[in-house]
Each structure stands twice: as C-alpha cells, then as structure tokens.
C-alpha cells in the first residue's frame, strides 16, 4: 500500500520495524513531533523497483533505532527505500544502504546530531554507505562506543560526513576507504587510525574545515 501513517503518540517498538511500502511520518495532522524508538532492526524499502516506495519521515522528532543492537545493521535502507532524517536528534546502531541502483535508495541524515552507539559486530562496522544516494544534510555524526571498528562512505550524493565527532576513550575508528570530512573533525575521546584492518592498507583522510583533538 502507498498509504501514509502518522504517529499520534510516542511509539516504542520492542522488536523490528520493516517498511516495504507507504510512509511512516512522525508528525501528526496537528503538527506534533512524536518520538520513535525501535530496539531491533529497521528496514526501509522492498529491495526492488523504483525510488520512494517506502519512506520513514523523521521531521524534528527524536529517533532511536537499534541503539544497542549489534546482531546486524540497525538501520538498512534498501532499493525503493527513503530515510528522510529531518532535523531531530537521532541515536542508532550501525547503518547501511543496500541497492543495485544508486538512484533508488536514499538516505538523508538529520541536520541535527546522529549518534551511533553500537557497531554491527560480525562486520566490524559503524556504517557502510557504499551504495544509494547519501546526503549529510550539514549535520553531525557522533561515534560513541568502546569498539575497534571501521566506517565506509563511497555512496553517491555527498562525499562524506559534514561534521564527524569521536567521543569514547575506548574507541578506535578506521576508514575502509579514503575519507573526506566536509566540515569539521573533532576527537574528544578515542582514536582515529588511518590504517584499515579490513582493507589491509592506509587510507587517506581529508578534513575540509577544522580538526580539533
């Protein structure tokens, strides 16, 4: 179905959320932003067909998607899926965009702060953004978990995160590809290491704005 469903109160889903058709909108007809919490995995898109068949529209709502989920990617956008991050505060586990057609899977980060608090354990990833069209929305991505893990950003759209913050003293972050931070890189706690364990090579790092350690 292509129907739009809106939240009428704060919603917590104790398992998984799957949207294969239609839209889930966090703002009701009265203009209230409601919070959405999913403890398991969120999948958006049927993994076939054209763009925008399945959409999660986040508006200015606080969103938490698999914040402690490590068994898989906590948020995965597949072909036909759209994640419209809006402007709220987001927390999640690991992220992935999966498609064989870059135009037909869309991931727009919030223009606020998106904090990643868990990795996909077996894949050793905070995010794998290697397909689809990914937009940083001038927002901030904060990495906050005491793990030695990797990040990947080679998708269409923006060429990397806008602001990137490392914020856990027990954390080592490595990029699987050459990484460009399009505004500021801030390391308040933890380590950024340019050597990719999974890739078996050193990967270049470019910061367009300021770097604070």
């Amino acid at each position: 179905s292509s129907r739009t469903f809106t939240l009428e109160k704060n919603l917590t889903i104790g398992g998984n959320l799957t949207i294969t058709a239609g839209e889930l909108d966090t703002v009701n007809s009265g203009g209230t932003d409601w919070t959405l919490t999913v403890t398991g995995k969120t999948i958006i898109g049927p993994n076939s067909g054209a763009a925008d068949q399945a959409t999660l529209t986040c508006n200015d709502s606080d969103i938490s998607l698999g914040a402690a989920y490590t068994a898989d990617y906590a948020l995965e956008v597949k072909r036909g899926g759209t994640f419209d991050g809006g402007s709220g505060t987001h927390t999640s586990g690991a992220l992935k965009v999966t498609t064989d057609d870059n135009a037909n899977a869309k991931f727009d980060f919030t223009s606020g702060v998106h904090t990643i608090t868990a990795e996909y354990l077996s894949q050793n990833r905070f995010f794998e953004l290697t397909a689809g069209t990914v937009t940083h929305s001038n927002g901030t991505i904060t990495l906050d978990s005491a793990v030695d893990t990797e990040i990947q950003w080679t998708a269409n759209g923006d060429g990397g995160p806008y602001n990137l913050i490392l914020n856990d003293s027990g954390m080592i972050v490595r990029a699987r590809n050459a990484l460009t931070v399009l505004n500021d890189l801030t390391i308040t706690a933890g380590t950024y290491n340019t050597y990719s364990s999974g890739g078996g090579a050193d990967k270049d790092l470019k910061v367009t704005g300021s770097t604070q350690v």
Side-chain angles (χ1 to χ4, degrees), residues 121-153:
L121 193 60
S122 69
Q123 292 297 310
N124 195 34
R125 296 286 192 282
F126 271 145
F127 55 77
E128 185 177 344
L129 305 175
T130 58
T133 300
V134 180
T135 304
H136 60 52
S137 306
N138 293 350
T140 296
I141 299 172
T142 298
L143 308 178
D144 194 353
S145 181
V147 293
D148 186 341
T149 194
E150 300 207 344
I151 57 178
Q152 289 179 275
W153 191 315

Side-chain angles (χ1 to χ4, degrees), residues 31-204:
T32 301
D33 289 280
W34 298 100
T35 65
L36 172 64
T37 300
V38 180
T39 61
K41 179 179 176 73
T42 298
I43 297 173
I44 306 171
N47 206 28
S48 63
D52 302 318
Q53 296 179 74
T55 301
L56 175 58
T57 301
C58 299
N59 303 288
D60 195 34
S61 299
D62 290 343
I63 305 292
S64 179
L65 303 175
Y69 186 71
T70 61
D72 200 343
Y73 290 99
L75 171 57
E76 186 169 357
V77 178
K78 298 186 176 184
R79 182 171 180 174
T82 297
F83 178 81
D84 182 352
S87 57
T89 299
H90 295 188
T91 305
S92 78
L95 313 173
K96 185 175 185 180
V97 180
T98 305
T99 181
D100 57 0
D101 186 332
N102 286 333
N104 289 336
K106 303 175 184 178
F107 190 109
D108 296 337
F109 278 93
T110 175
S111 61
V113 177
H114 187 131
T115 301
I116 299 176
T117 53
E119 68 166 345
Y120 178 12
L121 193 60
S122 69
Q123 292 297 310
N124 195 34
R125 296 286 192 282
F126 271 145
F127 55 77
E128 185 177 344
L129 305 175
T130 58
T133 300
V134 180
T135 304
H136 60 52
S137 306
N138 293 350
T140 296
I141 299 172
T142 298
L143 308 178
D144 194 353
S145 181
V147 293
D148 186 341
T149 194
E150 300 207 344
I151 57 178
Q152 289 179 275
W153 191 315
T154 57
N156 285 359
D158 294 326
Y162 187 67
N163 296 314
L164 180 64
I165 298 175
L166 278 62
N167 193 37
D168 194 298
S169 60
M171 177 171 56
I172 301 174
V173 175
R174 310 167 191 266
R176 192 68 179 268
N177 56 274
L179 180 70
T180 298
V181 179
L182 294 168
N183 195 41
D184 297 339
L185 171 64
T186 304
I187 303 175
T188 55
T191 300
Y192 185 91
N193 191 325
T194 59
Y195 182 79
S196 167
S197 299
D202 291 293
K203 303 297 181 180
D204 292 344

Side-chain angles (χ1 to χ4, degrees), residues 3-38:
R3 293 179 60 188
T4 296
F5 298 88
T6 58
L7 297 186
E8 295 299 327
K9 63 178 182 178
N10 297 331
L11 177 63
T12 297
I13 298 172
N16 301 328
L17 170 64
T18 302
I19 306 172
T20 55
E23 179 183 3
L24 178 60
D25 192 324
T26 61
V27 168
N28 66 10
S29 57
T32 301
D33 289 280
W34 298 100
T35 65
L36 172 64
T37 300
V38 180

